[in-house]
Amino acid sequence: MIRPDFKKMDGLIPAIAQDAETGEILMMAYMNEQSWDKTLETGEAHYWSRSRKTLWHKGGTSGHTQKVKSIRIDCDDDTLVLLIDQIGGAACHKGYRSCFYRELKDGEVTQCAPLVFDPKEVYK
């Protein structure tokens, strides 16, 4: 069994959500021990909300959950990659497929991920 070293970085470690099929990076959030344990228990991604200071079940409000297929840990035990199935099509709370929906290339910023839902309709 692997277990992240939560003693580092004040108990929070980066967790990158990556589409298990396509390899697309969908989002980055933080996990603490509680969110790690809940993710292992449920098979769905749970994170720690730094702004709300609470456990956060990804998709708990929107229905856009993340089914965890596997978890990779780096050599220092302080960064995770969650290979997931993104249920509902959107990982970003702004309604985009990926939180990394903007790209800077050749001095131009473009949208590089589709808008999946209107957040005003989902987060009422």
Side-chain angles (χ1 to χ4, degrees), residues 6 11-19 24-40 42-60 64-71 79-86 90-93 99-100:
F6 290 104
L12 295 179
I13 61 168
I16 300 159
Q18 182 177 19
D19 186 289
E24 180 183 17
I25 303 295
L26 299 175
M27 60 174 276
M28 196 289 290
Y30 290 92
M31 287 184 132
N32 64 2
E33 286 188 84
Q34 182 184 12
S35 57
W36 168 259
D37 291 340
K38 196 71 170 171
T39 296
L40 295 182
T42 65
E44 292 191 352
H46 288 72
Y47 302 102
W48 180 256
S49 171
R50 294 177 302 156
S51 59
R52 296 185 308 262
K53 300 197 183 335
T54 189
L55 183 68
W56 159 41
H57 176 210
K58 177 63 179 153
H64 297 263
T65 57
Q66 295 176 341
K67 301 282 186 195
V68 178
K69 300 308 230 175
S70 68
I71 300 174
T79 302
L80 299 170
V81 175
L82 282 66
L83 297 169
I84 56 103
D85 282 339
Q86 180 63 56
C92 180
H93 72 280
C99 292
F100 301 97

